């Protein structure tokens, strides 16, 4: 979403869905995974909206939808591409919106070649490195060629490359906040006739995504597909809006980012972005996953999506900012954001003379994501590990690989509520049972520290709609339970005490760090409000800032996360605001605080026409009030409040001044919604259907079977099943998909120990169709063993018509459903689905493909002990999967 | 099997066309244990009717029969009370049975009846010891014994029959469906049991009324049982199958044999009288156990709840509306066309 | 004391506007209850969990039943809300219906459990609801087979009977029952029964209009076998499909007749005994 | 209305005397029932909170009595959730106050076969030592080509999505200052 619209967050909020005319839930099982937000879908339905659920499985969401569309897992780009094809060929796009607000008229370079020309590859592919050089993806008229895909890792002449595009790993867009930046002004053809304008390129790119193809590739009958196409077209335009809802059913793929891109294109074509009842609702996972992305505990970004610097020669702050900041759009102010962050961290030590301590930041020289870390653990380079509220021994793909990593550490700190599997692997992990590991041979020193619960600490969560909400401490934690804030504050204090007096250069950043927080209460709990206030930032007078527009690049302001600037405006904890819903509109602007600047629908300038008038009365949201000379409406305008719709940026304008009065996508350098993404993605400017890495069928569209730049891990612990009819693939004839149940939470740490949740879903099970049960002799309520090249797990059998076999390309494809909540510990136990998955990732955001892989299913329980290894070995031989892994 | 066909009152098609929730019972299985509650039914009946025999014998000058009647009544009612308390989930709260007086609750009514019956039967029994005391004390005991014995005899029939209402006043298809006949069945069964036990314990010379009561009870028990299963409809199946079926079969055989033997030889042979009496009592016990088990079985299979209700609804369909101001009448829940 | 069955006071069956009044509550508040609209239930089981948390009900064991997503099976002494899951092919053969429905005690107008309870542990509250008083129940178990819906049950190990209290403690403070409050889609609606009945009828019309021809109300009719349920439902299929009895009748409807017959039988026994003695005298 | 403890003693008397002849309601009520109060009514405080499970962010009200959480319910004021909670949110009380929580530090020495007790303060100290030692041992000041790295690849961290923003902030700040770059959370998965 970052690449399409400019920011990585959901463009809307769940309660706004109540005003939708049509809601397409695809890649999300909303009723089961976001049940309380689903009330707004039911509300819309009660008001007559059409609710469509596109999902391989018939779920509790499908049960109450008007229409369930079963499709093969991993085929959404084809399905959505089909819808784009339909819109383009039927002329169903919202033309005025399209021309004014998107890059449809923008003209591309002549040397750009599409997947339709190169059989599944875009121009710029280097088979040796398996990377794209995105130079040819640029707009015509861009002054300087973009850097190659590897620029961060390889290039020294960074500073000279002012305007460029490639921004791959740092601009992790599913969670990244913004799109790319560029210099120069692209050429446009507002008639959309130019053969190289984005609109025409789009037409050609999706020309083969016909209803027939959708039927063949996705297994969705034509009529059903057309019913969806009809529904979304007739519910878009001036008077009506359609919303899309997705979650990890889309992101857990090697082409996950491109799934979302496809929906973004569709929604831009239909004019549904920035408008009430429209948008793309990204449903995020944990209580503060959005917050932990905004204030990232992520390797590649700093707070507020400022990229983590890469190792380059002679890179100073100016060069860093020059390289990453755009000239135009709000990213033009990145200097102010970065300097303010450095000031927040290093305070008085950060001075213009020392580049505001920019040099204190560690540098990247390649991906350092969680799966790379695990490989490092197994290889012995990673020695110490903190697990702070995550349970990878159950929750991460290829769980065995995770445990092998844990077992090879020097020390491990686990902070959790109960003794989760990641804390006890040395004692009772599956490898102990098979004899692969023995406790006395595992040298890992394990510290388990009990965590305080949300009722036992102050703090804020940022929810799926980018809304910060404060939770107040209700009681003191018991025993050794402590908040993670306490832990990190006191750990930092202690480390600083121990290092005090060190003259070692490497200790400067930690010793110079601002680390003075007031503490409260008997446990010396650091004040969470004080931390939030630092996140918000302060001005020269030491007073809390009101907005990120006040941030300066001269060191006079400090701000821990610029997009959160304003959450403590007026020295008031805005995240704790709780004006009752009954006293507010559905937008509820006085409940908590949403970034950016408390806006609830992003790009809401697009809810008005270019002249600033609402597209229709029914869909009025934010508009230009000529009398007051400002934007007004139900929400905080996502626009400069007094910028006239007719504003035309003067030549040479910078930052937000370069955004015109009718350009709603203010974070983008050109203020447009991007149908076509010239930079910011490593796997192509347009979405293209590739098969999942483990797929039962060859790619019907291209010779290129998989995402050519997917991120794999060729390691002995991580073998892949042969795919798409390759020799040996018949050993794993079925597709399986993993998912959640309403009654459990993720890896189970917060549900498998709770009797009231556990009794509702007490055992690991697999869902199979009656046909598959008959084919494999599976008894209802009996046991099944599911096998992949990684290992085999057992599950109770739930035979259900909800798992319908699909007809794909003339073949019947059986799908097996596996919830992934169980593990060996807790009140209710079972094998973890993640034992079955291999690690292979989307190259943009490093998210693993958890939603489709191949397997075999046999009746009965799995073998125990070494016999399990023997079974898997037999399969590997049969599948000819190279013992070393490989792809 | 052939018996089942013969008595099948519900067309086969209808049985198979109903739907259920994974075959799970609609009703809850009674939590009562057969050991205690079926015994209690039997013992209560025995006690109630025995008290009648004791009082009758007292009035008609049959001391042996009086003694046995009174002692059996007291012992049986004591044992039945123990069984009842044992079956409580919270036995220490048994006194709560007298917390209220609820005519809508057969168990409440029963509790009050027992509260009257138990002491009087006990007093009557005690008087059998007391009357041996010398002088005024003995006379007092005799007189008190008569009063108590008569009192227990007046309550005896209630003790013997309220249990029928206790079972019937439930949603258990077999029990509720049986309500028109059940009081008669239970009264008769009580008579058979009391007569039988008295015949065992009393010399034949004094036991004439007991034998007559026993034989008459047996006859009515068999007749009422037959009537009941004819009218019960589908739920009658539960009296023919499984444990309940076996018990029911035994009950009929024992009762029949006991009645015939008593009738044929009870007057002449003490051994025959005793055997016949024992058979009658055993038959009565089996009747209670059979009924108990049949009821339980009728809750375990949802068909017995759903099918009759469904056909009842269907029968009502054209008119629509539900049994609006329908008067109470002998239309058991389980009966249908 | 007049005990007539369907008319007058102290009724045992038939329509009854004010069960609380009949139970001796003077100036009672309006009768409250539940309308459970299963057409919007998403089977999340929040109602089950919220009920347990509020009422501190113990867990009901960890058994995989595999009845679709139902692993608690039915209402029990330790499950006072139960969500049923029914998977059925659609009549047109195209596609599937997955019906979910949250069941609960019906708080019958004529509650057999209550009327058969010998101890008065079962109570009609001033709100017209039916609750077990845990300090009174002696675990006689009578209420269990009396309930025509199979709701109330004895808890093993505890011995007492338990079921939904309609959150009696909360009602007193003007709070909504825990299950209704939690329900994300307001499939469970709580309120004055009259209001709920009206709302249910218009909702039924809506659901029918949207094409669900087999939608029906269950338990809302005061003329039904239990005099109307205090907790009634909008179902999308036959009741038995959800494990509900299609036409429950309160057993006490027949109680007067039972007593009459018992009296006759008792008389017969007395007479029979007399005859046995008199016969001997002749 | 006369609903409160008017009646003492034997309920049968109340049955006979009062309007509840059949003993169904008023007469049957026990003294305990008459005193019944929701436990929320006796709470000392109601604290506004947010569900800790998923990203919907439903509002919660936490009822506290005598320093213990006695009930957690949906916050009707929340425009996100309108007082509703899913089963997980509804199980928050069990999550926070249930017996499954481990309240003591557990320590497993290298090659150990079981958990041992460890003082929290000592644990913190040991961890600080491990961090300092590992960091020093695995420090990378420069790449081979001479570009500056200033980091350690010897330490990594995973988790954050269940934590507060403030916690994530301190983590990121401390790790970055320590030169720890392998900081990750659930956003990847
Ligand atoms: N009850 C509950 N709620 C939760 C969680 C939980 O564990 N339990 N976890 C939270 C977290 S961390 C997250 S990330 C969210 C996730 O929320 P969701 O994404 O809704 O959860 P999933 O069940 O993993 O996957 C959603 C659906 O994607 C479908 N799917 C799989 N492959 C494909 C595909 O290729 N195309 C399409 N269109 N659909 C596909 C699956 O069948 C499944 O129904 O939920 C959050 N909420
Ligand atoms: N096969 C397959 N695998 C998947 C997925 C899938 O769909 N399929 N989904 C993926 C997704 S989207 C996610 S988000 C992950 C989730 O995977 P994990 O995050 O590993 O799973 P959780 O069980 O949520 O682990 C979070 C832990 O944090 C603890 N915790 C909660 N609050 C606190 C706190 O305040 N402090 C501390 N220190 N600990 C706390 C909880 O007790 C729990 O053990 O699983 C991923 N894995
Ligand atoms: S449903 Fe059963 S338990 Fe509930 S009130 Fe009616 S009879 Fe009593
Ligand atoms: S078990 Fe308890 S509630 Fe049920 S009837 Fe007996 S005393 Fe009443
Ligand atoms: S009303 Fe209260 S007791 Fe009854 S089911 Fe709902 S939460 Fe449970
Ligand atoms: S809480 Fe509501 S939606 Fe969820 S299962 Fe219960 S009734 Fe259905
Ligand atoms: S109550 Fe349920 S939907 Fe709401 S935040 Fe908690 S887990 Fe998410
Ligand atoms: Mo997630």
């Amino acid at each position: 979403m970052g690449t399409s619209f400019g920011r990585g967050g959901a463009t809307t909020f769940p309660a706004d869905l109540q005003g939708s005319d049509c809601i397409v839930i695809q890649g999300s099982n909303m009723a089961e995974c976001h049940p309380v937000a689903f009330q707004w879908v039911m509300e819309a339905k009660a008001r007559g909206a059409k609710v469509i659920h596109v999902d391989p499985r018939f779920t509790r969401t499908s049960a109450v939808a008007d229409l369930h569309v079963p499709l093969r897992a991993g085929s959404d780009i084809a399905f959505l591409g089909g819808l784009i094809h339909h819109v383009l060929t039927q002329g169903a796009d919202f033309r005025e919106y399209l021309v004014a607000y998107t890059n449809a008229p923008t003209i591309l370079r002549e040397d750009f070649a599409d997947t339709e020309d190169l059989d599944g590859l875009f121009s710029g592919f280097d088979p040796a490195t398996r990377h794209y050089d995105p130079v040819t993806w640029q707009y015509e008229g861009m002054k300087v060629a973009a850097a190659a895909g590897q620029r961060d890792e390889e290039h020294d002449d960074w500073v000279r490359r002012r305007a460029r595009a490639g921004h791959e790993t740092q601009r992790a867009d599913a969670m990244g906040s913004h799109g790319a930046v560029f210099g120069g002004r692209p050429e446009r053809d507002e008639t959309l006739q130019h053969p190289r304008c984005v609109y025409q390129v789009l037409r050609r790119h999706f020309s083969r995504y016909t209803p027939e193809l959708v039927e063949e590739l996705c297994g969705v009958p034509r009529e059903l597909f057309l019913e969806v196409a009809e529904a979304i077209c007739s519910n878009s335009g001036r008077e009506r809006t359609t919303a899309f809802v997705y979650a990890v059913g889309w992101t857990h793929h090697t082409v996950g980012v491109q799934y979302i891109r496809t929906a973004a294109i569709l929604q831009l074509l239909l004019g549904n972005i920035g408008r009430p009842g429209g948008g793309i609702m990204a449903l995020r996972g944990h209580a503060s996953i959005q917050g932990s992305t905004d204030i990232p505990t992520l390797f590649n970004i700093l707070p507020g999506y400022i990229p983590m610097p890469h190792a380059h020669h002679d890179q100073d702050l100016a060069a860093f900012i020059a390289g990453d900041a755009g000239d135009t759009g709000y990213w033009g102010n990145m200097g102010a954001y970065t300097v303010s962050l450095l000031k927040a961290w290093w305070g008085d030590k950060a001075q213009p003379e020392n580049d505001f301590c920019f040099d204190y930041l560690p540098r990247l020289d390649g991906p350092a994501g969680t799966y790379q870390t695990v490989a490092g653990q197994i290889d012995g380079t990673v020695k110490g590990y903190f697990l702070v509220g995550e349970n990878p021994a159950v929750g991460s793909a290829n769980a065995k690989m995770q445990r092998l990593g844990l077992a090879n550490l020097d020390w491990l700190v686990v902070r959790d509520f109960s003794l989760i599997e990641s804390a006890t692997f040395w004692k009772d992990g599956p490898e102990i049972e098979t004899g692969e590991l023995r406790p006395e041979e595992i040298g890992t020193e394990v510290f388990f520290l009990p965590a305080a619960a949300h009722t036992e600490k102050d703090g804020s969560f940022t929810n799926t709609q980018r809304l910060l909400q404060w939770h107040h401490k209700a009681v003191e934690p018991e025993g050794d339970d402590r908040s993670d804030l306490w832990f990190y504050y006191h750990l930092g204090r202690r480390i600083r005490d121990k290092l005090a007096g060190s003259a070692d250069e490497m200790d400067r950043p930690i010793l110079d760090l601002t680390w003075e927080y007031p503490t409260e209460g008997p446990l010396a709990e650091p004040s969470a409000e004080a931390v939030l206030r630092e996140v918000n930032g302060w001005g020269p007078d030491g007073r809390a800032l009101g907005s990120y527009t006040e941030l300066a690049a001269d060191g006079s302001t400090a701000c821990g996360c610029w997009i959160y600037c304003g959450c403590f405006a007026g020295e008031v904890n805005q995240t704790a605001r709780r004006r009752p819903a009954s006293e507010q509109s559905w937008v509820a602007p006085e409940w908590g605080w949403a970034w950016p600047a408390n806006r609830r629908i992003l790009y809401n300038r697009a809810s008005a026409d270019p002249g600033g008038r609402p597209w229709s009365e029914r869909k009025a949201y934010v508009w230009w009030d000529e009398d007051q000379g400002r934007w007004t409406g139900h929400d905080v305008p996502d626009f400069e409040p007094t910028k006239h719709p007719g504003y035309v940026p003067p030549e040479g304008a910078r930052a937000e001044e370069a955004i015109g009065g009718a350009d709603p996508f203010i974070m983008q350098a050109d203020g447009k919604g991007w149908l076509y993404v010239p930079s910011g993605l490593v796997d192509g400017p347009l979405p293209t259907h590739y098969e999942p890495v483990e797929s039962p069928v060859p790619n019907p569209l291209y010779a290129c079977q998989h995402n050519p730049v997917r991120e794999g891990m060729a390691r002995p612990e991580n073998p892949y099943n042969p795919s798409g009819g390759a020799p040996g693939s018949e050993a794993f004839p079925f597709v399986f998909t993993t998912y959640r149940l309403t009654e459990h939470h993720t890896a189970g740490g917060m549900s498998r120990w709770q009797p009231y949740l556990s009794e509702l879903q007490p055992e690991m099970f697999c869902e199979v169709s009656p046909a598959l049960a008959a084919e494999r002799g599976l008894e209802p309520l009996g046991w099944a063993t599911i096998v992949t090249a990684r290992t085999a797990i057992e599950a109770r059998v739930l035979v259900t018509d909800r798992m319908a076999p699909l007809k794909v390309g003339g073949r019947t494809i059986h799908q097996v459903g596996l919830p992934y909540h169980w593990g060996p510990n807790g009140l209710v136990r079972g094998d973890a689905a993640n034992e079955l998955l291999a690690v292979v990732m989307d190259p943009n955001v490093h998210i693993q493909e958890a939603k489709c892989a191949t397997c075999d299913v046999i009746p009965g329980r799995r073998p125990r002990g070494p016999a399990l290894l023997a079974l898997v070995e037999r399969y590997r031989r049969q599948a000819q999967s190279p013992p070393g892994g490989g792809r | 099997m052939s018996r089942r066909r013969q008595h099948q009152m519900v067309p086969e098609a209808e049985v198979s066309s109903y739907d259920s929730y994974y075959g799970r019972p609609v009703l809850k299985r009674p939590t009562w244990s057969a050991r205690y509650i079926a015994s209690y039914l039997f013992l209560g009946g025995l006690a109630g009717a025995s008290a009648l025999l004791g009082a009758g014998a007292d009035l008609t000058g049959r001391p042996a029969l009086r003694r046995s009647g009174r002692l059996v009544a007291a012992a049986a009612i004591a044992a039945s009370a123990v069984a009842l308390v044992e079956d409580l989930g919270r036995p220490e709260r048994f006194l709560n049975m007298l917390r209220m007086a609820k005519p809508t609750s057969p168990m409440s009514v029963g509790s009050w009846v027992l509260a009257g019956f138990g002491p009087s039967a006990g007093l009557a029994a005690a008087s059998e010891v007391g009357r041996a005391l010398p002088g005024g004390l003995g006379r007092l005991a005799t007189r008190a014994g008569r009063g108590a014995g008569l009192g227990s005899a007046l309550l005896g029939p209630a003790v013997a029959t309220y249990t029928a209402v206790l079972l019937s006043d439930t949603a258990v298809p077999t029990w509720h469906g049986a309500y028109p006949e059940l009081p008669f069945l239970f009264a008769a069964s009580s008579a058979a049991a009391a007569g039988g036990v008295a015949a065992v314990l009393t010399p034949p010379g004094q036991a004439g009324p007991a034998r007559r009561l026993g034989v008459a009870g047996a006859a009515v028990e068999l007749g009422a049982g037959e009537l009941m299963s004819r009218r019960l409809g589908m739920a009658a199946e539960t009296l023919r199958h499984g444990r309940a079926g076996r018990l029911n079969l035994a009950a009929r055989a024992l009762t029949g044999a006991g009645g015939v033997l008593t009738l044929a030889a009870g007057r002449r042979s003490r051994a025959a009288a005793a055997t016949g009496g024992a058979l009658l009592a055993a038959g009565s016990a089996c009747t209670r156990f059979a009924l108990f088990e049949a009821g339980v079985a009728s809750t375990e299979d949802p068909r017995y709840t759903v099918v009759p209700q469904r056909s009842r609804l269907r029968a009502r369909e054209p008119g629509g509306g539900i049994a609006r101001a329908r008067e109470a009448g002998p239309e058991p829940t389980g009966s249908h066309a | 004391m007049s005990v007539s069955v369907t008319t007058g006071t102290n009724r045992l069956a038939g329509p009854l506007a004010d069960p609380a009044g009949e139970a001796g509550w003077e100036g009672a508040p309006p009768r409250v209850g539940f309308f459970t609209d299963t057409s919007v239930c998403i089977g999340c089981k929040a109602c089950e969990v919220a009920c347990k948390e509020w009422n501190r009900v113990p867990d009901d064991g960890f058994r995989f039943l595999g009845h679709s997503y139902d692993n608690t099976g039915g209402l029990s002494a330790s499950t006072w809300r139960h969500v049923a899951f029914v998977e059925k092919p659609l009549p047109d053969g195209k596609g599937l219906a997955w019906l979910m429905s949250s069941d609960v005690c019906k708080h019958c107008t004529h509650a057999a459990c209550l009327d058969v309870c010998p101890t008065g542990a079962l109570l009609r509250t001033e709100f017209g609801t039916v609750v077990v008083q845990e300090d009174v129940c002696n675990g006689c178990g009578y209420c269990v087979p009396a309930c025509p819906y199979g709701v109330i049950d004895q808890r093993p190990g505890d011995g007492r009977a338990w079921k939904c209290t309609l959150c009696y403690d909360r009602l007193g403070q003007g709070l909504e029952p825990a299950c209704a409050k939690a329900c994300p889609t307001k499939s469970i609606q709580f309120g004055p029964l009259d209001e709920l009945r009206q709302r249910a009828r218009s909702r039924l019309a809506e659901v029918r209009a949207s094409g669900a021809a087999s939608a029906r109300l269950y338990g809302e009719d005061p003329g039904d076998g239990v005099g109307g349920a205090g907790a009634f439902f909008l179902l999308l299929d036959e009741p038995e499909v959800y494990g509900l009895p299609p036409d429950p009748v309160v057993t006490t409807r027949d109680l007067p007749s039972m007593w009459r017959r018992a009296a006759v039988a008792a008389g017969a026994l007395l007479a029979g005994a007399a005859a046995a003695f008199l016969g001997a005298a002749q | 209305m006369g609903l409160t403890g008017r009646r003492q003693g034997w309920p049968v008397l109340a049955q006979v005397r009062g309007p509840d002849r059949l003993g169904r309601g008023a007469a049957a009520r026990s003294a305990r029932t008459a005193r019944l109060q929701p436990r929320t009514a006796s709470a000392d405080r109601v604290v506004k909170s947010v569900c800790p499970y998923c990203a919907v962010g439903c509002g919660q009200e936490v009822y506290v009595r005598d320093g213990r959480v006695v009930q957690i319910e949906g916050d009707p004021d929340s425009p996100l959730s309108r007082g509703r909670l899913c089963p997980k949110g509804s199980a928050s009380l069990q999550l926070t106050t249930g017996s499954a929580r481990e309240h003591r530090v557990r320590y497993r020495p290298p090659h150990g076969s079981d958990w041992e007790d460890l003082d929290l303060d000592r644990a913190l100290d040991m961890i600080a030592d491990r961090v300092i030692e590992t960091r020093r041992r695995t420090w990378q000041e420069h790449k081979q080509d001479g570009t500056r790295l200033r980091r350690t690849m010897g330490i990594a961290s995973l988790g954050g999505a269940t934590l507060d923003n403030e916690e994530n902030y301190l983590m990121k700040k401390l790790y970055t200052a320590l030169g720890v770059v392998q900081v990750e959370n659930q956003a990847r998965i």
Side-chain angles (χ1 to χ4, degrees), chain A residues 174-199:
Chain A
M175 59 260 329
S177 150
H178 61 86
V181 292
F182 56 71
R185 296 237 160 244
E187 288 175 23
R188 291 164 64 86
D189 170 17
E190 309 252 317
T191 68
L192 305 185
Q193 294 310 309
H194 192 289
R196 278 187 285 114
C197 82
V198 164
Y199 181 80

Side-chain angles (χ1 to χ4, degrees), chain B residues 19-22 24 26-32 49 52-53 56-57 60 62 65 87-91 93-94 96-97 99-100 102-109 153-154 156-158 160-162 165-172 175-176 179-181 183-184 187 190-191 209 212-213 305-306 309-310 312-313 316 321-324 326-333, chain C residues 1 5-6 12 65 67-68 70 73-76 82-88 114-120 133-142 144-154 158-160 221 223-225 238-249 251-255 257-259 261-262 264-266 269-270 272-273 276-277 279-280:
Chain B
D19 239 319
S20 85
Y21 187 67
Y22 304 99
R24 299 185 68 92
V26 170
L27 300 173
K28 286 279 174 296
R29 188 185 195 279
T31 51
W32 295 328
L52 281 173
L53 283 179
T60 59
R62 292 180 171 87
L65 184 62
D87 196 67
L88 293 180
R90 291 278 167 127
R93 291 188 183 170
F94 75 95
N96 279 2
M97 286 296 189
R99 187 177 171 266
M100 315 282 300
K102 294 180 66 175
T104 58
S105 169
M107 196 178 280
S108 175
V109 172
L154 271 175
T161 54
Y162 96 86
V165 185
L166 182 89
L167 286 194
S168 294
D169 194 23
T170 61
V172 175
W175 294 347
H176 185 93
Y179 85 80
E181 294 84 14
F184 300 98
S190 304
R212 278 190 289 280
L213 187 67
T305 315
V306 172
Q309 294 190 14
R310 181 65 26 233
R312 191 161 71 205
L313 273 181
R316 232 172 23 230
I322 307 191
R324 245 168 235 282
R326 188 164 47 177
E327 280 302 323
E331 192 206 330
T333 330
Chain C
M1 185 194 311
V5 180
T6 57
L12 295 172
L65 296 182
H67 295 156
S68 188
D70 178 6
L75 294 173
S76 77
H82 166 255
V83 185
F85 289 79
V86 180
E87 299 179 15
K88 278 188 95 177
L114 190 162
D115 276 350
V116 304
C117 175
T119 63
Q133 306 181 91
E134 59 184 77
D135 56 329
V136 176
C137 172
N138 67 6
C140 74
Y142 200 0
V144 176
C147 171
Y149 298 94
V151 170
I152 195 167
D153 205 356
Q154 253 173 304
D158 171 276
R160 287 171 295 180
D221 179 3
D224 72 14
E238 305 286 349
E240 55 268 32
V241 166
Y242 300 88
L244 295 164
D247 183 30
V249 174
T251 179
T252 49
R253 185 195 68 189
D254 300 327
L255 186 60
S257 165
M258 292 176 199
W259 281 134
R261 281 159 185 269
V264 173
L269 179 58
L270 191 63
F277 283 99

Side-chain angles (χ1 to χ4, degrees), chain A residues 618-639:
Chain A
R618 196 166 170 261
K619 295 288 168 177
Y621 192 70
V622 159
W623 54 90
W624 175 255
D625 185 330
E626 195 63 61
D627 300 336
Q628 293 183 49
R630 59 185 303 122
W631 291 91
T632 181
H634 301 292
D635 197 351
V636 179
D638 192 6
F639 213 58

